[in-house]
Amino acid sequence: MYDVVIVGGGNAALCAALSAAEFAKKILVLERAPEEESGGNSRFTAGLMRIVYNGVDDLRTLIDLSDDEVARTDFGAYTAAQFLDDMARVTEYRCDPDLTELLVNESLPAVQWMRAKGVRFTAAWGRQAFNVGGRFKFWGGLTLEAVGGGPGLVDSLTQIARRSGVDIWYSARALSLLSDDDGVHGVVVRKQSKTTHVKCKAVVLAAGGFQSNPEWRTRYLGPGWELAKVRGTRFNTGDAIRMALDAGAAATGNWSGCHAVAWERNAPEFGDLAVGDQFQKHSYPWGVYLNAEGRRFVDEGADFRNYTYAKYGRVILSQPGQFAWQIFDAKVKGQLRDEYRIRQVTKRVASTLEELVGKLDDVDPKAALEELKRYNAAVRQDIAFNPNVKDGRRTEGLTINKSNWANTLDTPPFEAYAVTCGITFTFGGLKINHHAQVMSSDGEPIPGLYAAGELVGGIFWFNYPGGSGLTNGAVFGRIAGENAGRNATA
Ligand SMILES: Cc1cc2nc3c(=O)[nH]c(=O)nc-3n(C[C@H](O)[C@H](O)[C@H](O)COP(=O)(O)OP(=O)(O)OC[C@H]3O[C@@H](n4cnc5c(N)ncnc54)[C@H](O)[C@@H]3O)c2cc1C
């Protein structure tokens, strides 16, 4: 008999385990994946976490920063008001207000708690800061990164959990909940082809969304979604959502919505841990997109990358043939992210635009050339380019204008990268309250059942501020673990 059983082996689950272990003795983590693939989507991440910080002093509670690093960096601040504003704006004011307030207000305490447990953090110099005149300036509210990225985060949480006496079973798939009128009392598990009943006093569900289930994707996100590539783990097929719904839980949130990005067109069906997140192609604000008809179809410079990337995957999926090309010229080459320099890219290079459009597979070259010329002619050359701010350097008079960072494509060599839609995680899921208790469809908490992370609905809608997923798992994993642990020992 366990006190708390946690379903899942990613960031939310492991944070729940560490938290539960502060209040109860016998904790079991059930991880569906074998050990070498464990850690869910969390392992695939860069380990970036969006947190509130009111200046460098808050960051110094998390990161060992030298005086020299502080002197040559403008870390700025990311206040609770900014985080709340970002959540409200990108979710079109649909995010659950109570859960969002918890996410924001508990973000710094949650990572400080992780730090105190032994998780190490650094600043995301490489991804979230530009060097201007010898000084780094962070942008987009996203500054904190786990040391070693996602793999570092998961390995560190796993080691800490083991040291805290938590049992972890790998290749152990939760199948259903043991529940009756009094609530949830255990989990049915299949481990190494054997089905067993694990009894416990409380269960925390943290087994991810349903993005790796093509049938549910098509059913809930809509026709065509079976054609998307999955960016992360193949194990998040919605099991725990189904288990909870079967036990009477309420479904909530944006069931037809998901986080989806521009992803290498020829990437495999699921994520590859050797490549991690590097199939993504996030530098589109510095260039333009073209579809099969040779047309631009989206405002590449509508906002900072981390406020648009999560919704543009859907836009790419809806293009003819579900693909697009990103086009850049030599002026911005130095600004392209590392992921453009991996071996597994579908890339074309040419010394003229005429030559380039002829090399773009499956694209109408004549229409593409006309479109690029139209774009070049529409750029407001009188406004200076500045990647650190929304510079207003835009196009005018196009059907779809580019609002910021609109550089003309005029300096060879020109480069093009083929992308399709990569789905990250689904937004719809289980309804929880502020104690992370799973709510029943009758509006009451289900005794003994808690949830955290990707499988919780109601927080993200339509879009997502980059780096909120890990914070979401940490904040609600910690709350769920604490309440499950307290409940088990009450
Ligand atoms: C390529 C990529 C890059 C990303 N980068 C970032 C980033 O830098 N910052 C950020 O905040 N977010 C990022 N995200 C999003 C982030 O990964 C998720 O929001 C977060 O990791 C979700 O954590 P989780 O613990 O809820 O789910 P997961 O980490 O996916 O964990 C779910 C776990 O449940 C297990 N499981 C599934 N079914 C069962 C079952 N039946 N029984 C037992 N176990 C089961 C899985 O094996 C897995 O271990 C990225 C995602 C991807 C794919």
Side-chain angles (χ1 to χ4, degrees), residues 6-14 29-34 37-50 127 142 150 153-154 169 172-175 187 189 206-209 211 230-240 242-243 259 263 271 276-278 280 282 309 423-425 452-456 460 464-473:
I6 290 150
V7 179
N11 174 61
L14 293 169
V29 166
L30 298 172
E31 163 60 294
R32 179 180 172 189
E37 285 183 85
S38 65
N41 269 354
S42 304
R43 187 178 284 283
F44 282 85
T45 70
L48 287 164
M49 296 183 77
R50 182 172 293 265
R127 290 188 181 227
L142 192 50
L153 175 68
V154 169
W169 292 358
R173 182 177 187 177
L175 300 176
V187 181
V189 187
Q211 63 277 0
V230 175
R231 297 177 68 204
T233 177
R234 62 196 169 99
F235 295 103
N236 290 2
T237 52
D239 282 9
R242 178 190 43 75
M243 285 160 52
H259 181 300
W263 194 247
D277 65 1
Q278 299 283 292
Q280 68 202 9
H282 282 353
Y309 79 115
I423 182 170
T424 319
F425 65 94
E454 250 174 31
L455 51 57
V456 170
F460 304 117
Y464 152 109
S468 311
L470 290 174
T471 307
N472 180 41

Side-chain angles (χ1 to χ4, degrees), residues 107-396:
S107 60
L108 179 63
V111 289
Q112 285 170 332
W113 170 80
M114 291 164 83
R115 178 74 196 91
K117 298 255 172 225
V119 177
R120 289 172 54 237
F121 295 101
T122 182
W125 313 93
R127 290 188 181 227
Q128 290 295 135
F130 294 118
N131 188 339
V132 178
R135 202 150 188 259
F136 279 94
K137 182 175 167 50
F138 277 86
W139 55 275
L142 192 50
T143 305
L144 191 72
E145 185 179 277
V147 168
L153 175 68
V154 169
D155 290 345
S156 157
L157 288 171
T158 304
Q159 282 167 22
I160 301 164
R162 285 208 172 102
R163 279 204 304 273
S164 311
V166 171
D167 287 346
I168 304 179
W169 292 358
Y170 292 102
S171 303
R173 182 177 187 177
L175 300 176
S176 59
L177 293 168
L178 298 169
S179 68
D180 58 23
D181 292 347
D182 297 326
V184 170
H185 310 287
V187 181
V188 181
V189 187
R190 192 163 59 229
K191 185 171 174 250
Q192 282 143 9
S193 314
K194 289 230 161 19
T195 302
T196 48
H197 289 199
V198 180
K199 298 256 176 64
C200 62
K201 295 174 188 155
V203 173
V204 178
L205 300 175
F210 60 84
Q211 63 277 0
S212 301
N213 180 337
E215 195 236 321
W216 275 34
R217 278 208 309 271
T218 315
R219 192 191 305 185
Y220 295 114
L221 304 183
W225 277 97
E226 70 279 22
L227 304 171
K229 312 253 183 191
V230 175
R231 297 177 68 204
T233 177
R234 62 196 169 99
F235 295 103
N236 290 2
T237 52
D239 282 9
I241 298 177
R242 178 190 43 75
M243 285 160 52
L245 296 180
D246 288 349
T252 194
N254 190 197
W255 273 71
S256 62
C258 66
H259 181 300
V261 309
W263 194 247
E264 160 58 35
R265 187 180 180 192
N266 294 304
E269 187 187 353
F270 296 104
D272 175 348
L273 278 171
V275 180
D277 65 1
Q278 299 283 292
F279 285 127
Q280 68 202 9
K281 294 289 166 275
H282 282 353
S283 293
Y284 56 85
W286 319 133
V288 297
Y289 269 119
L290 286 183
N291 68 12
E293 291 162 348
R295 297 281 178 239
R296 284 181 57 249
F297 52 88
V298 76
D299 180 352
E300 303 89 346
D303 204 333
F304 282 119
R305 186 279 305 168
N306 58 18
Y307 299 117
T308 59
Y309 79 115
K311 63 179 179 178
Y312 281 1
R314 177 182 286 265
V315 183
I316 295 167
L317 190 76
S318 66
Q319 300 309 306
Q322 303 87 43
F323 74 93
W325 286 87
Q326 297 179 352
I327 319 275
F328 305 98
D329 78 355
K331 292 199 298 298
V332 296
K333 188 166 167 127
Q335 252 167 265
L336 298 189
R337 294 162 56 107
D338 293 350
E339 66 229 22
Y340 287 79
R341 289 183 281 281
I342 65 168
R343 205 165 35 83
Q344 303 89 333
V345 285
T346 306
K347 174 181 175 182
R348 302 287 179 265
V349 183
S351 50
T352 63
L353 290 177
E354 286 76 2
E355 184 192 351
L356 186 76
V357 295
K359 289 183 168 179
L360 304 181
D361 303 342
D362 308 321
V363 172
D364 176 342
K366 187 165 169 287
L369 187 61
E370 283 166 10
E371 184 78 341
L372 293 178
K373 286 184 171 164
R374 244 190 322 270
Y375 164 81
N376 273 346
V379 172
R380 282 282 302 269
Q381 308 271 8
D382 55 319
I383 302 170
F385 172 77
N386 180 352
N388 277 321
V389 293
K390 289 203 256 175
D391 62 5
R393 185 182 160 105
R394 60 188 180 276
T395 62
E396 276 174 4

